[in-house]
Amino acid sequence: TVRDMKLYDKVPVKECYEVTGKGPISTKWIDINKGDERRPKYRSRNVAREIARSKVDGLFAATPPLEVMKLLLSSLATGNKGERLMVADVKRAYFHAKVKKPTYVQQPQEDIGPGDEGLCGRLNYSMYGTRDAAANWSEEYTERLVAMGFVAGKASPCVFYHKEHNLRAYIH
């Protein structure tokens, strides 16, 4: 859960104003039915609502072109000499990326307990809806893969290669 992952620390709203010069970012529950009407499968996510008031370069996670996946699969299917492809799906990916700048969010009503009035959440990890969450996640997985011996691709920063294990990783 969000509490187990220590997504944020509860701090006085006053700290938020002192550090950022503005109030905490509002949050909202988003409910999505991943099933159908007969077999509903609801997924709820509390997201921040940080509004883009200006254009800032670098606040994105690179998305590999479809051609990269086609090239990798074609390469593996024809003339493959033992090369492997790693595909991974990280649940709650952004929650694994540490924040790079002080970011404060309003607590969801469900997390406000006795004595928590006047507090907000100072994020420890990125949260969906914050402007730099995607870039933080991209930096996080790149650092981890490079530490394991992978080399980031030159044409696409979403493709990695580990020479010793003859392994390619494709991040989407």
Side-chain angles (χ1 to χ4, degrees):
T1 68
V2 170
R3 285 186 187 139
D4 295 335
M5 296 183 82
K6 296 183 180 10
L7 175 64
Y8 59 79
D9 293 324
K10 293 181 180 184
V11 299
V13 171
K14 180 181 175 191
E15 178 184 316
C16 174
Y17 280 101
E18 290 171 353
V19 173
T20 67
K22 53 189 173 192
I25 299 165
S26 65
T27 60
K28 178 181 181 177
W29 281 102
I30 304 291
D31 299 315
I32 297 174
N33 182 2
K34 295 275 192 170
D36 55 32
E37 285 190 31
R38 276 195 22 228
R39 281 182 250 140
K41 184 177 181 182
Y42 284 98
R43 182 173 180 186
S44 296
R45 179 179 290 167
N46 191 21
V47 300
R49 300 191 306 178
E50 188 171 16
I51 309 288
R53 300 201 190 285
S54 63
K55 184 179 184 291
V56 179
D57 291 332
L59 295 181
F60 70 95
T63 302
L66 181 59
E67 289 77 13
V68 171
M69 180 56 118
K70 289 179 180 178
L71 178 67
L72 289 173
L73 292 174
S74 175
S75 169
L76 290 170
T78 60
N80 185 348
K81 294 181 172 67
E83 188 173 275
R84 296 171 293 162
L85 177 65
M86 176 177 77
V87 178
D89 181 10
V90 179
K91 293 191 184 316
R92 296 172 201 83
Y94 289 177
F95 296 155
H96 295 280
K98 292 185 176 97
V99 293
K100 307 295 182 207
K101 66 177 178 73
T103 307
Y104 297 82
V105 296
Q106 292 177 347
Q107 298 179 76
Q109 285 299 123
E110 296 81 2
D111 199 25
I112 298 175
D116 286 347
E117 300 81 15
L119 299 180
C120 64
R122 181 182 59 222
L123 293 179
N124 296 313
Y125 298 94
S126 296
M127 183 176 184
Y128 294 96
T130 56
R131 294 204 57 210
D132 57 352
N136 290 348
W137 170 238
S138 181
E139 189 175 323
E140 182 72 25
Y141 72 68
T142 297
E143 287 175 4
R144 289 187 186 204
L145 287 171
V146 168
M148 289 188 281
F150 283 87
V151 175
K154 290 180 179 157
S156 174
C158 305
V159 178
F160 295 81
Y161 181 66
H162 195 294
K163 187 174 183 177
E164 183 181 327
H165 296 292
N166 202 20
L167 177 65
R168 292 195 186 276
Y170 174 85
I171 308 296
H172 185 284

